[in-house]
Amino acid sequence: MDIVDLSTLPEQDTRYDEFLRQVCDKYEMDHAAYAGMNPAAGTIHGHVTYGDDWKAHYQEQGLHLIDPTLHMSQRSIAPVDWSRLERGKDFQRVFRDAHDFGIPDQGITIPVRGPYGDIGLLSAVRECSRDEWKKLVPNVISDLQSLAVHIHDNVMTSDTISRMLYHPTLSSRELEILQWAAAGKSQQDIGDILSISHRTVEVHLRSSREKLNALTTPQAVGRAIGIGLIYPG
Amino acid sequence: MDIVDLSTLPEQDTRYDEFLRQVCDKYEMDHAAYAGMNPAAGTIHGHVTYGDDWKAHYQEQGLHLIDPTLHMSQRSIAPVDWSRLERGKDFQRVFRDAHDFGIPDQGITIPVRGPYGDIGLLSAVRECSRDEWKKLVPNVISDLQSLAVHIHDNVMTSDTISRMLYHPTLSSRELEILQWAAAGKSQQDIGDILSISHRTVEVHLRSSREKLNALTTPQAVGRAIGIGLIYPG
DNA sequence: GAATCTATTGGGGGTTTCCCGTAATATTGG
DNA sequence: CCAATATTACGGGAAACCCCCAATAGATTC
């Protein structure tokens, strides 16, 4: 999964970066970041107010693969305060590096999910005392929640992103066969059910995997269910 | 997809209903409703401040199958103001019935999604002039957004729901391995990751299949995601 | 009409999964 | 405490799956 820095795209205007800077100003944050991803499409894209040096380092090192703020937020419904993250190996790695670039480990990430498996993460960080932080968060969390929805909604409906996060369109045959696979049928079974060769079934499963960016059929079934394309058998 | 009225469950406390009533009071709404659904698991459950007569009518007529507020919100990231709904056949049907029970067609629904394909919808309605409504919404939308996340997070992590979605108990090892399978890893990969033999991995997958009553691993992954034991990789 | 996409079937061959065993340790219940 | 059950672990062999290739027919698009 590669990172795409949207600010480097020629056709991309800078309103998102400005938007994030305004968020910082208004809510007394040092930095703000938005990351959008679609596991099914295998994409990550982001806007940040961090310096270019940190952005470069983050991408070069592939820190997005281990970043605990991303991992945790992807599995949460509610906002995640970074103080609640596990202080594991990955945490040490990412935040030690971040510290070198002057980025604090005090922050919050708000996850927003769309209907196609897309996830938007709005993060805000601030270097200050623990007490100060604990007073600040309750006052801004509600607004940040709304802003997170707003920015993710905008990003997902913009042409630039929808081209990148194209949600997979499986053919009716592919969906039909994937649905039978989710129902526990073997390729041979499905072939018998649909009166086609099990070879053909395998072809459709393969194209389904490719479209869903899945390595295996179990993963494809999981993705398809997560997106709502099929139902659990 | 059947509806489950959580308030009728004996072991269910009434804090959600109280919560909704407080939302009404604080934000000057006539009624508030929360609906949680998991298309993957095929369940809908809800709390409402509407009268029992409307609840009964809604369930008897199966209005949830055509309710445009549900349909629209399921596909939206941002809150949906009911004034933006298409005035189609289904709309007429549902809101004509609702009107007979004293429920206005002026409202807003806020969708929240969790990592398992679960969707929470917080709706609030108020009978008032269009102008009044347009002034009210911007003032409360941010708070309602937060509340929607809060209530959905609570419902999804509550024991009540997990008891309703029949829950096989998979061992931590089985869940761990099933999660990796959902992430597209092969048995060999998983064995390497966990430093065990790929044979052992297969045994855990087999017992997972048995517990989930699944014939194949893709089906087991689908079931586990539908139940919320693991998340789509 | 040509190009493109989808659905279909097939061969050959390597890889993975699955079912059959065995067995040590852990946990639970009488 | 001991017995029953569950969990963890490993291996051989058969079955299923997955990937490479090619080929035909129908529908859609340009």
Side-chain angles (χ1 to χ4, degrees):
Chain A
M1 208 184 281
D2 291 331
I3 303 185
V4 177
D5 182 0
L6 293 183
S7 64
T8 63
L9 296 176
E11 71 265 26
Q12 178 64 25
D13 52 28
T14 57
R15 59 198 164 103
Y16 291 119
D17 295 298
E18 272 176 30
F19 182 80
L20 288 174
R21 270 189 286 273
Q22 287 174 15
V23 169
C24 290
D25 292 344
K26 186 166 182 186
Y27 301 103
E28 306 176 41
M29 295 292 177
D30 294 339
H31 287 290
Y34 166 80
M37 60 186 76
N38 190 329
T43 57
I44 297 186
H45 52 91
H47 291 282
V48 297
T49 62
Y50 304 133
D52 288 333
D53 49 353
W54 170 243
K55 273 158 67 176
H57 181 79
Y58 192 89
Q59 287 193 44
E60 281 167 16
Q61 299 292 313
L63 294 182
H64 63 289
L65 297 173
I66 62 169
D67 192 332
T69 67
L70 297 184
H71 270 91
M72 183 72 173
S73 312
Q74 276 181 64
R75 288 148 187 71
S76 174
I77 296 174
V80 176
D81 194 308
W82 294 359
S83 64
R84 292 207 316 256
L85 294 174
E86 282 179 25
R87 251 64 182 173
K89 193 180 56 186
D90 292 342
F91 182 92
Q92 303 292 348
R93 171 70 201 288
V94 173
F95 280 103
R96 193 197 55 223
D97 286 18
H99 181 265
D100 295 341
F101 287 87
I103 293 167
D105 64 353
Q106 190 166 243
I108 191 170
T109 298
I110 295 162
V112 178
R113 287 183 191 74
Y116 304 112
D118 50 295
I119 305 176
L121 302 176
L122 179 63
S123 301
V125 304
R126 181 178 182 191
E127 176 93 71
C128 65
S129 74
R130 183 72 79 202
D131 284 345
E132 206 174 337
W133 176 254
K134 290 210 172 187
K135 280 183 201 161
L136 174 65
V137 169
N139 291 332
V140 301
I141 186 100
S142 203
D143 283 358
L144 288 180
Q145 188 87 52
S146 253
L147 291 172
V149 170
H150 183 255
I151 189 172
H152 186 59
D153 192 33
N154 263 277
V155 168
M156 289 305 294
T157 52
S158 79
D159 287 342
T160 307
I161 301 307
S162 49
R163 248 178 283 135
M164 302 182 50
L165 295 185
Y166 109 99
H167 43 89
T169 52
L170 284 94
S171 71
S172 59
R173 201 58 157 173
E174 288 161 346
L175 284 177
E176 188 178 16
I177 287 175
L178 203 59
Q179 183 66 71
W180 280 115
K185 302 298 181 187
S186 71
Q187 295 182 0
Q188 185 62 60
D189 290 339
I190 299 172
D192 294 342
I193 292 170
L194 301 178
S195 300
I196 57 177
S197 163
H198 69 93
R199 302 284 193 169
T200 308
V201 173
E202 194 271 333
V203 171
H204 288 298
L205 282 176
R206 191 190 318 163
S207 59
S208 299
R209 287 194 300 273
E210 285 168 1
K211 287 181 178 178
L212 289 166
N213 205 34
L215 293 169
T216 64
T217 298
Q219 187 180 23
V221 168
R223 285 250 162 96
I225 291 174
I227 298 174
L229 293 175
I230 63 173
Y231 302 105
Chain B
M1 210 185 283
D2 292 331
I3 303 184
V4 177
D5 182 0
L6 293 183
S7 65
T8 62
L9 296 177
E11 69 266 26
Q12 177 63 26
D13 53 27
T14 57
R15 60 197 164 103
Y16 290 120
D17 295 301
E18 271 177 30
F19 182 81
L20 288 174
R21 270 189 286 274
Q22 287 174 15
V23 169
C24 290
D25 291 345
K26 186 166 182 187
Y27 299 103
E28 305 176 43
M29 294 291 178
D30 295 339
H31 288 289
Y34 166 80
M37 62 186 73
N38 191 329
T43 58
I44 297 186
H45 48 91
H47 292 281
V48 298
T49 63
Y50 304 134
D52 289 333
D53 49 352
W54 170 244
K55 272 158 67 175
H57 181 79
Y58 193 89
Q59 287 193 43
E60 281 166 17
Q61 298 292 312
L63 293 182
H64 64 288
L65 296 173
I66 61 169
D67 192 332
T69 67
L70 297 185
H71 269 91
M72 183 71 175
S73 312
Q74 277 182 64
R75 285 152 186 72
S76 173
I77 296 174
V80 175
D81 194 307
W82 293 0
S83 65
R84 291 208 316 256
L85 293 174
E86 281 179 26
R87 252 65 182 173
K89 194 180 55 183
D90 292 342
F91 182 93
Q92 303 293 346
R93 170 71 202 288
V94 172
F95 280 102
R96 194 195 55 221
D97 286 18
H99 182 264
D100 295 341
F101 288 87
I103 293 167
D105 65 351
Q106 190 165 243
I108 192 170
T109 298
I110 295 162
V112 179
R113 288 183 189 76
Y116 306 114
D118 49 296
I119 306 176
L121 302 177
L122 178 63
S123 300
V125 305
R126 181 176 184 193
E127 177 91 72
C128 65
S129 73
R130 184 71 78 202
D131 283 347
E132 207 174 337
W133 177 253
K134 291 211 171 187
K135 280 183 201 159
L136 175 63
V137 169
N139 291 331
V140 302
I141 187 102
S142 200
D143 283 0
L144 289 179
Q145 189 86 52
S146 253
L147 290 172
V149 170
H150 183 255
I151 190 172
H152 186 59
D153 192 32
N154 264 277
V155 168
M156 288 306 294
T157 54
S158 79
D159 289 341
T160 307
I161 301 304
S162 44
R163 251 178 279 138
M164 295 183 46
L165 309 169
Y166 140 82
H167 237 178
T169 52
L170 296 172
S171 71
S172 60
R173 199 59 156 175
E174 287 162 345
L175 285 177
E176 188 178 18
I177 287 174
L178 203 60
Q179 183 64 72
W180 281 115
K185 302 298 181 186
S186 71
Q187 294 181 1
Q188 184 63 59
D189 290 339
I190 300 171
D192 293 342
I193 292 170
L194 301 178
S195 300
I196 57 178
S197 164
H198 68 94
R199 308 287 189 169
T200 306
V201 173
E202 194 272 331
V203 172
H204 288 298
L205 283 176
R206 193 191 317 164
S207 58
S208 299
R209 286 195 300 270
E210 286 166 0
K211 287 181 178 178
L212 289 165
N213 207 27
L215 292 170
T216 63
T217 298
Q219 187 179 24
V221 167
R223 286 249 163 95
I225 291 173
I227 297 174
L229 293 175
I230 62 174
Y231 56 88

